[in-house]
């Protein structure tokens, strides 16, 4: 559920990257990412290896989301969020993320 919220927020942030979303809305979407990640940390119970792999994704994702939430002019934070989740579809079998690369190019 949490990663689905992250996926939706990152998809929405494409509009910000193209200049089609106001800064306050981008900041709010970054806040949504941060809340989703914090929820995953609080609720998710995985085997140690999977937990470590997920933490390696979530820690930089949370940092970048908080940067954008605090400074909506920091477009590099959006790129950092995308970079943080780039390995997620290869490491985890999550149907919501299948074909994410194809949909990214469709926007």
């Amino acid at each position: 559920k949490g990663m689905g919220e992250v996926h939706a927020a990152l998809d929405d942030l494409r509009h910000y990257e193209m200049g089609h979303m106001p800064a306050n809305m981008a900041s709010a979407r970054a806040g949504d990412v941060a809340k989703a990640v914090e929820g995953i940390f609080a609720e998710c119970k995985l085997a140690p290896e999977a937990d470590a792999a997920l933490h390696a994704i979530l820690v930089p994702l949370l940092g970048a989301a908080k940067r954008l939430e605090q400074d909506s002019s920091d477009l590099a934070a959006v790129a950092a969020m995308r970079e943080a989740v780039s390995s997620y579809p290869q490491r985890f079998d999550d149907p919501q993320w299948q074909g994410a690369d194809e949909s990214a190019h469709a926007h």
Side-chain angles (χ1 to χ4, degrees), residues 28-52:
R29 292 309 279 153
D32 293 343
V33 170
K35 284 181 199 138
V37 170
E38 290 164 353
I40 293 168
F41 282 138
E43 299 169 16
C44 190
K45 306 290 184 254
L46 296 172
E49 187 176 313
D51 190 60

Side-chain angles (χ1 to χ4, degrees), residues 23 38 43 58 90 101:
E38 290 164 353
E43 299 169 16
L58 296 179
Q90 291 81 40
D101 291 336

